[in-house]
Amino acid sequence: MAEATEIQKSLSRTQALLGNELKRVSNVASAIDDDGKVLEDTMNEQKSMQVDKAKKALTNLQLAQQREQRYLMASIIFFWLVVAYIFWARVVLHMPFIDTTIWSLRKLLS
């Protein structure tokens, strides 16, 4: 009988230990779930921040591209104006017909 009581006490202790371990594992599992939710929220926040940064970078790139296109167009216009001036000064003004026409116009205006 003493042996049966001893076995019963041992089984009760084992049951208590298993109950405690079950509670501990349950607490650990809920802590892991909570940490997983925190990590997921952090990941979603980071993704939204990265999307915002990407949108801002894309907007800046588009503005820079527009500015560079304006500079390029202004440079091309300036280049062709210089070419036209050089052509006018070197070729057109030294043609005999135009030279006499300009001389005649100057004489008429004076």
Side-chain angles (χ1 to χ4, degrees):
M1 199 65 175
E3 191 175 318
T5 309
E6 187 76 28
I7 291 174
Q8 188 177 12
K9 286 181 183 178
S10 175
L11 287 174
S12 293
R13 284 192 305 265
T14 304
Q15 185 180 11
L17 282 172
L18 287 175
N20 288 337
E21 286 300 312
L22 185 61
K23 287 179 186 175
R24 188 179 71 81
V25 168
S26 176
N27 289 338
V28 168
S30 67
I32 288 173
D33 287 341
D34 292 343
D35 289 345
K37 289 177 185 174
V38 168
L39 287 173
E40 188 175 334
D41 291 343
T42 304
M43 183 179 68
N44 290 336
E45 185 178 334
Q46 286 294 321
K47 283 182 181 178
S48 69
M49 287 175 57
Q50 289 174 352
V51 167
D52 291 342
K53 285 181 183 178
K55 284 181 182 177
K56 186 175 180 179
L58 183 59
T59 303
N60 287 339
L61 284 174
Q62 288 173 339
L63 291 174
Q65 181 183 11
Q66 290 173 356
R67 185 174 50 247
E68 287 180 12
Q69 280 183 321
R70 286 192 301 267
Y71 290 156
L72 178 64
M73 193 57 68
S75 298
I76 290 170
I77 290 170
F78 179 74
F79 171 78
W80 284 112
L81 286 174
V82 168
V83 168
Y85 172 76
I86 291 172
F87 182 75
W88 175 261
R90 300 285 177 146
V91 176
V92 175
L93 288 180
H94 291 96
M95 292 179 134
F97 171 75
I98 294 177
D99 192 33
T100 57
T101 306
I102 291 175
W103 183 77
S104 301
L105 285 174
R106 284 186 185 161
K107 203 166 196 180
L108 285 172
L109 293 174
S110 324

